[in-house]
Amino acid sequence: MAQVHGLQEISRGNRGTTRLLRIKIVEGVNLAKKDIFGASDPYVQAVLHRGDRNGGEIDSVRTKTIKKTLNPKWFEEFLFRVNPRDNKLTFEVFDENRMTRDDFLGLVEVPLVHVHIPNEPPGTTPNSISAKEYILRPRSSRSRVKGHLRLYLAYVQEDGDEEETQPENESENEPGWELVSQSRAEEETAAGAAASDPQNEEPLPPGWEEREDAQGRTFYVNHSTRTTQWERPSVERNNVLPAGWEERYDGNGRQYYVNHSTRLTQWEHPGRQTASPAAAASSEMDESERRLDEIQRWAHSRRQISMEDTISRTSEEDVLDRLNQALRVTVPQGGTQGSDEEPLPAGWAMEMAPNGRKFFIDHNTQQTSWDDPRKTRTPERLRRSSTHAPESVLRTSSSVDLYHTLGPLPPGWEERSQNGRLFYINHNTKVTQWEDPRLLKLGGPAVPYSRDYKQKYDYFRSKLRKPENVPNKTDIKVSRKNILADSYRVIMSIRKIDLLKTKLWIEFDGETGLDYGGVSREWFYLLSKEMFNPYYGLFEYSATDNYTLQINPLSGLANEDHLYYFKFIGRVAGMAVYHGKLLDGFFIRPFYKMMLGKQMTLQDMESVDSEYYNSLVWIMENDPVDLELYFSVDEEHFGETIERELKPGGNEIAVTNENKREYVELVIHWRFVSRVQKQMNSFIEGFNELIPSQLLSIFDENEMELLLCGLQDVDVNDWKAFTAYRGEYNANHPVICNFWKAVYCFNNEMRSRLLQFVTGTSRVPMNGFSQLYGSNGPQLFTIEKWGNPKQLPRAHTCFNRIDLPPYESYEELRKKLIIAVENTAGFEGVD
């Protein structure tokens, strides 16, 4: 028999409190990348704990190290003797590092008392029970982890164990499952709590922890709600899940439940929900509204689940089918429209016009309409919730066509067809047009035109010095696969900085293209995505729900040459500004203020960390003596907390009402400046080699963001207004109408990708599309007729031009456009 780890073996007569658990660590999937250039060398350490994770380590084992992979496969098996009522298993994944401390890649906690672990049927192989996937979660909010582990867990029946009486139909059940009654489960839970605790205290619920304060008093921490209390929380007795339900943990370690019958998730235990008699007697409309609430909870919870239930893997059709099922109302048999048609709303009537066309009368408002109110109305519950629901609840993918969600035409509009082509009549103004009026609301936010910024930018461009006594162009040859390393090698090897101010001639390996501006725009776009990638350790996201970037204060641990890389990034940013290109990335506002040499204020904290900001505001408005604060802060380095003094001897200087303003200023300076001072100095050094600092003094921090990164949102109305047409195309051509219809119905991400496909960058210049630049100065976005419907669209990024074949239908144009945008990469010929 294999070696048994964990608890010591108990004599056969007293073995009731321990079980033999078989653990097979199968594989890791899509682990986080911590090495800046290479893959990880992951291994797993399995630890058996007594009670809480901090309650004492019993035994541990470690797998072998798998070299250079983010998807390691171990297939290692271990046997542990455990106490299911008290023990907890922890699986920690690390990246082996010979030079420094091993990097943490995530952990999985399995509290044996709360997780259902099947029994291996006697006489079967361990493979009779399938392995399960467990999402890796971080140890703290600063840990960057991803991926999941596949683990096999099953109890092994030992010789001498009493065999339980099996029901006659056990063969019909799935292998590895055991059928128990609720009363028996409650008895076993109570007996287990009494046996595991000498004071007969039942175990804590999931997510709770027992601690002691400085006075020795016991209190309890709820990690799910981040609250504390003095009373010991009790465990619900109805922990048995109903049929079709499954318990899971998300990436933050929170417990949730999956209903496989309805394919919905919820936070509350389904066995603790009680149905009231009133709910059973509710009307069909109430049932529809209840199902709508379930759909909304399902859609909102999808933002928290990171494994099988991620919304990015749900198509638009699935979402619409669920909404339609939730909103469907059964028609009473006495309805006038027949048993298969929904009745008209109260106060409505349907009549027939002299030409045979149906119209509808609203006696409530004494108005008529061509639109069927049964098809255009929205339930009141949906209208109320839609105003509060976040935009990302039903986040669309690139394959979603927003045209199907436009709703009815505006009042006074009518849709007609002429020779198979649709046009629209505005009866209010007695004007017709080819374009659907509903598309305008999908155009995106308007471009905030600023005459003041335009004047500053023109003055800034006029002061940039042109290089002298240098070649006409600088050749930069890189590969797409190693664009960061190749660009770093080329840029940092140039000693004469004026060479970087000449015309950039970018060439990608294996691509024969002539760079008249489009290739260099894509080079800046691709390079900036790599430079600002948090997995390289140079930058990090400012918050878990905010994708603005900030400098990683621990960048030196990820890369010993990090200061050289920040100088390289500063050079690239200066090259982008000098050549009028944009970077693909947005930074926190204090980053731009540091570039301008401005003082940080308390307001700068609000957009970066609202909770920290509220704490500092409270200190400014109240007496902080009771908080027992000192002029020091705690930093967390890979799970280890380190105290940093804000001023010499700060750990002994208490914060009072008299010196609290100084304390807040020092905290803000530490948060934004002192921690990253060396990295920022290197960045500014590289940036100022191309752009003198005195020229930036005319801009504020908001304008610096526009200068470096441009606008993030795409305004289709502005895009369309500043577009030129060539060949047989014009603004009213059927193909052009279908093109703009497709662009309007793209989400903002797909619009940015289309813009990057045609112009080489996904960013819009300040003041909009009228400021687009090509190879010879200002160059409007251009659409030219080319080819035949069997071909895909092609782009000339140097001239901001797309060659669009004359597709016969909107569906065909949209399909071919998406294929071209999502699958095209590279240059050939003149671009």
Side-chain angles (χ1 to χ4, degrees), residues 449 454 457-458 718 722 765-774 777-780 800:
Y449 183 83
K454 180 68 167 57
Y457 184 77
D458 292 340
D718 180 69
F722 293 98
M766 179 56 180
N767 293 334
F769 284 86
S770 63
Q771 304 297 319
L772 275 182
Y773 270 72
Q779 177 68 58
L780 294 180
N800 300 333

Side-chain angles (χ1 to χ4, degrees), residues 398-417:
S398 60
S399 61
V400 173
D401 189 355
L402 300 180
Y403 185 72
H404 301 301
T405 62
L406 287 177
L409 288 168
W413 284 82
E414 180 185 355
E415 180 185 277
R416 290 188 184 181
S417 176

Side-chain angles (χ1 to χ4, degrees), residues 57 186 293 401 414 506 694:
E57 178 180 325
E186 294 176 354
D293 285 339
D401 189 355
E414 180 185 355
I506 310 296
Q694 60 269 21

